[in-house]
Amino acid sequence: YAPDAGRAERAAAAAFARIRALDAALSDYRAESELSRLGACSNAGAPTEWIPVSRELFEALRVSADVARASDGAFDVTVGPFTRLWRRARRQGELPSAEALAEAAQAVGHAKLELAPATRSVRLLARHMRLDPGGIAKGYALDVALAELVAQGCERALVVGGGDVLAGAPPPERGGWSVAIAGLDSADPDVDRGASSFQLAHAALSSSGDLVRFVELDGRR
């Protein structure tokens, strides 16, 4: 919601521009992204020198490190080598070998990523490390996008990125934005258990599941 169409279009354009910039920095799909180039630095040897990074990338890695410590490693931005094996398994239709998993594990572990806030620099302590901020980067991008919308005078906004939703102030004369979670059964997509709907304002929601993201290997889902 905006005072006029011109304000709405300018605000949306500014928000999408910030998202594009973050994608260029944080994508682990783009070989030329800042994140991918950072990981490639560990190919030549480890530990690497201290590598200065952009404010956006450092902030995403800082939050990732905080969550990794708080979750005792359940969330780990260094899981990139395993992510690559999983993507290959989906393409080729077979699970990675025990040897491939063991080799990848040598480059995984949040303690192998060091951050220096004073110089906004990063050091990688193992060879062939790859960073995967997929569990956190999209939410970070939504935060930045909503902040840009608010700065442009559009605080009544909903930002949606796939399974992640961020709500600003509610629409006029309403308590919140209407958000619903599909009630489809992942084991049998023809079964609809009814959507769960609620109102969301000044809050975020992230959903994850195997309804769309799954692979069948040797007859096993």
Side-chain angles (χ1 to χ4, degrees), residues 128-155:
H128 305 302
M129 289 182 67
R130 291 293 182 270
L131 306 181
D132 178 4
I136 206 166
K138 189 186 292 185
Y140 176 47
L142 298 189
D143 283 341
V144 169
L146 182 60
E148 186 66 38
L149 292 172
V150 172
Q152 297 282 340
C154 298
E155 64 176 9

Side-chain angles (χ1 to χ4, degrees), residues 43-101:
N43 289 346
T48 66
E49 300 292 330
W50 285 102
I51 305 166
V53 298
S54 67
R55 188 179 307 277
E56 291 83 2
L57 179 54
F58 190 86
E59 179 63 13
L61 295 180
R62 183 194 64 77
V63 175
S64 296
D66 290 344
V67 177
R69 287 189 292 268
S71 65
D72 196 23
F75 175 84
D76 189 345
V77 76
T78 72
V79 77
F82 287 143
T83 303
R84 286 190 164 192
L85 290 178
W86 168 244
R87 290 174 183 166
R88 185 179 304 155
R90 294 189 68 193
R91 291 194 306 269
Q92 298 179 347
E94 61 180 9
L95 290 173
S97 66
E99 292 78 12
L101 288 168

